[in-house]
Every structure is written in structure tokens, then in C-alpha cells.
Amino acid sequence: VWWLSGAGIANSITNAITVLIITCPCALGLAVPAVQIVATGRLFERGVLVKSGDTLERLAEIDKAIFDKTGTLTFGEPELLGAAGIAPAVLEQAAQLARASRHPLARALAKAAGPGPVASDVFETAGCGLEANLNGRPTRLGHAAWCGAISGAQGSELWFRSGDAAPVQFRFRDRVRPDTAAMLSALEQRGISVEMLTGDREAPAAELAAQAGIVSWRSGVDPKRKAAHMEALRKRGYHVLMVGDGLNDTGALALAHVSIAPGTAADVSQLAADMVLRGDSLMPIVEAVDVARKAHRLVLQNFAFAAVYNVAAIPLAMLGLVTPLIAAALMAGSSLIVTLNALRLAIGRRA
């Protein structure tokens, strides 16, 4: 345009180069990645592994959080009660099944029995338990009804049945993570409603809910019902965060808007989750929400600055009021400002 208007070829080319430099979309291209890199680095230092770039964008949108119980709100390291009163032969047979599972109660049973062989051809039914043939007899380890028993216990338990013998009960005790109540309260203060879904029975679920201050909870929820509940919430417009660790949580983790698994979770649960927690604390979940929301604000600020920069600088370049050197400085300066804005997340961490 400058050349057609009668300007010299050198001046026209200089102005054209200036416009190209000014319009280089560096600030726009850095707006999101710069924030994501700083945010994921901050969370990694706090023990949260973010597996994908869009996880933080989705986490900033959540308005409801659903938690599993055993291994999530508790340590998932229950202890077998009354082991001395259980026949050693029965304990060892049950342990052979338990050693084939990563379920917290199964691990506690295997730990109480000590090292030993693992049953072959063990089949796990999600939400029910384990079954195999031991010494030519069908054996099961899992829920009371699945093993043909009627339970009246108030705590966590497993039942074992070998052939036609009477079912044997194994009772356990688990510890609630010390920061569970504080973490749930912090989420509610941020406008995120909390709910607990567990496959455990009503009595232990009610006890934990009372300790942690959970108002909304459901017990005896199998994997299909968990997944169906997640789908129903999605259709109602909720953006749900699911936190779980077991095989029975995999479907719900996959259907959630964002999902988190503890580092001690089953491998398939960690693969299905968007984020993985390291360590025993649950408070990094709250920080992850805070970082995601601040990162969202910073991304919008970066986009706004990039837009204002282009609207203001491009006309100046087109009018020939800027030299290529000044254009290069402006372009580099815009990229630097976007990057420094993203680094506010790191500054907030040290503060």
C-alpha cells in the first residue's frame, strides 16, 4: 500500500517488514502454554502430577466433588482385628486369594497372614470380591452376600468361604486421613459441593461421614451405580471432580469432568485419572483447584493483553510510525510481559 501510494521502494519494504514483526503472534502463542507450564510445575512440587495440558482448564470449572472412601478419605491401610482368633489354615487360604488383589482390605489380610503363595487363576468381580479354586474347592473372598453370609458388623469386613463350609468373617479398622475434614471444608468454602460414594456398608460409611463432616453420602454403591451417578450429574449440568483409588472407581473416574487418583491407587485407576497425588495429604487437591482457577484468570489476562497489543501496535506499524527495531522490541516485550504474568503463579507459591 505504501508503494502504491508513491512512497519509495525502500521505505515501503521497511514498513512492510515492520508490520510483519509487529504481528508475530508470540504473545498470543505463549498465553496458554506459559501459564500451564508454571501451574503444572507448582503442583508437581506440591505432590500433584498433572497428566494433560487441558486438565487445569477443566479443573477450574468444577462445582461438585465426589470422593470414594477406602483408600481415598482414609489411608487405605486397614488392620485385621482379632487375627489370633482365626484358624491359621483358614487365614492362609484366604490370604492366598487376598495376595492377588490390590484392594486395601485384601492387602491388610495378606499382611496379617505374612508371606506365602498366591492362588492361581484368581478372578475378580468388581464390587464383589475374588474367587478361585483352592485344593479343588471353589473359594470366595469378598462381600458378605457374595460369600453367602449375613452381616451385622458395624465396621469394614471381608468374608471367606471355601466350598460348603460356613463363611468366615474378617474385620478391619482403617484410619481417616487427618486433613480430610479440613480439605472438604475448604472445597465447600470455594463453592464446590461434596459427596461421598462408597461400596462399603452403611455403618462404616456413616461413621466416616460424621468424622469428616460430610452431609451427602451413599453406601453400598457398586461400580455401575457410581458410573451411572456420574453420568446423571453430567446431564444435569454439573462439572464433577471424582477422587478415587480402586478398580470399582475406574468407570466414574473416566466419566468425570476431572479425576484424581492417589499414588497408592490401582494402576488402572491411575491411568484413568487426569491427576495423581503423591504422598498422604489431601490438601493438595484444594491447592490444585486454586491454581487452576488462578491459571484460568491469567490465561484470560494474557489473551486480553495480546489483543490490546495487536490493536494498538499494528496501526502504528501500518502508518510507518514504528521502525523494525522498535517493532522487534515491542514484540519481544509483549512476549516477556505474558511470561512474567504467568510467573505470578510461582511468586504466589513462595508467598
Side-chain angles (χ1 to χ4, degrees):
V1 171
W2 274 90
W3 182 66
L4 292 176
S5 64
I9 187 66
N11 191 29
S12 300
I13 293 177
T14 298
N15 290 336
I17 292 174
T18 302
V19 171
L20 288 175
I21 295 173
I22 285 286
T23 56
C24 180
C26 292
L28 192 63
L30 288 172
V32 175
V35 174
Q36 288 183 342
I37 290 172
V38 177
T40 54
R42 172 176 175 176
L43 292 179
F44 184 79
E45 291 179 359
R46 289 300 309 271
V48 182
L49 174 62
V50 182
K51 295 167 59 177
S52 62
D54 65 335
T55 296
L56 293 177
E57 298 178 30
R58 289 182 278 118
L59 185 61
E61 300 172 345
I62 66 164
D63 48 23
K64 190 174 187 65
I66 295 181
F67 291 85
D68 177 46
K69 172 182 167 286
T70 305
T72 303
L73 297 180
T74 67
F75 280 103
E77 298 177 355
E79 300 175 349
L80 178 64
L81 302 176
I86 302 172
V90 173
L91 180 60
E92 174 56 29
Q93 289 181 9
Q96 290 185 38
L97 286 172
R99 293 182 186 112
S101 174
R102 293 195 61 185
H103 190 279
L105 296 184
R107 291 202 300 266
L109 177 57
K111 180 179 179 181
V118 181
S120 59
D121 299 324
V122 177
F123 180 77
E124 181 170 359
T125 301
C128 294
L130 305 164
E131 59 182 328
N133 284 321
L134 288 179
N135 302 322
R137 305 179 68 182
T139 57
R140 283 186 171 184
L141 177 69
H143 284 186
W146 197 62
C147 294
I150 299 175
S151 175
Q154 298 300 309
S156 299
E157 64 175 7
L158 285 177
W159 286 81
F160 173 75
R161 184 166 188 172
S162 177
D164 296 328
V168 178
Q169 182 191 42
F170 298 94
R171 297 180 59 239
F172 301 87
R173 176 180 57 200
D174 197 0
R175 293 180 296 125
V176 181
R177 297 180 189 265
D179 58 355
T180 293
M183 180 272 299
L184 297 176
S185 176
L187 289 179
E188 290 178 340
Q189 291 174 7
R190 287 157 175 77
I192 301 171
S193 60
V194 173
E195 184 176 0
M196 181 179 74
L197 298 182
T198 176
D200 211 341
R201 293 174 300 104
E202 182 176 357
E207 181 181 0
L208 185 142
Q211 293 181 33
I214 301 174
V215 177
S216 178
W217 57 273
R218 299 185 187 184
S219 60
V221 184
D222 59 30
K224 290 184 179 180
R225 289 173 59 194
K226 281 188 178 183
H229 186 63
M230 297 294 296
E231 183 66 18
L233 290 174
R234 186 187 65 80
K235 290 181 179 180
R236 288 164 56 187
Y238 284 101
H239 298 95
V240 183
L241 165 66
M242 174 67 194
V243 186
D245 76 312
L247 180 64
N248 58 342
D249 300 314
T250 305
L253 290 169
L255 289 171
H257 194 61
V258 187
S259 53
I260 300 177
T264 55
D267 292 342
V268 66
S269 298
Q270 293 191 39
L271 288 173
D274 298 301
M275 308 171 75
V276 177
L277 291 177
R278 299 180 300 161
D280 295 329
S281 176
L282 293 176
M283 286 306 292
I285 295 176
V286 179
E287 177 156 6
V289 172
D290 290 342
V291 168
R293 291 181 173 180
K294 185 172 182 179
H296 179 70
R297 293 194 297 269
L298 292 179
V299 165
L300 294 180
Q301 291 173 12
N302 283 351
F303 277 135
F305 172 77
V308 170
Y309 159 75
N310 281 280
V311 169
I314 291 176
L316 295 177
M318 295 178 64
L319 293 173
L321 301 177
V322 179
T323 66
L325 181 60
I326 295 176
L330 290 174
M331 185 269 293
S334 66
S335 301
L336 183 60
I337 290 174
V338 167
T339 302
L340 291 175
N341 192 42
L343 288 173
R344 290 169 57 195
L345 278 171
I347 296 173
R349 178 192 66 240
R350 289 190 290 271

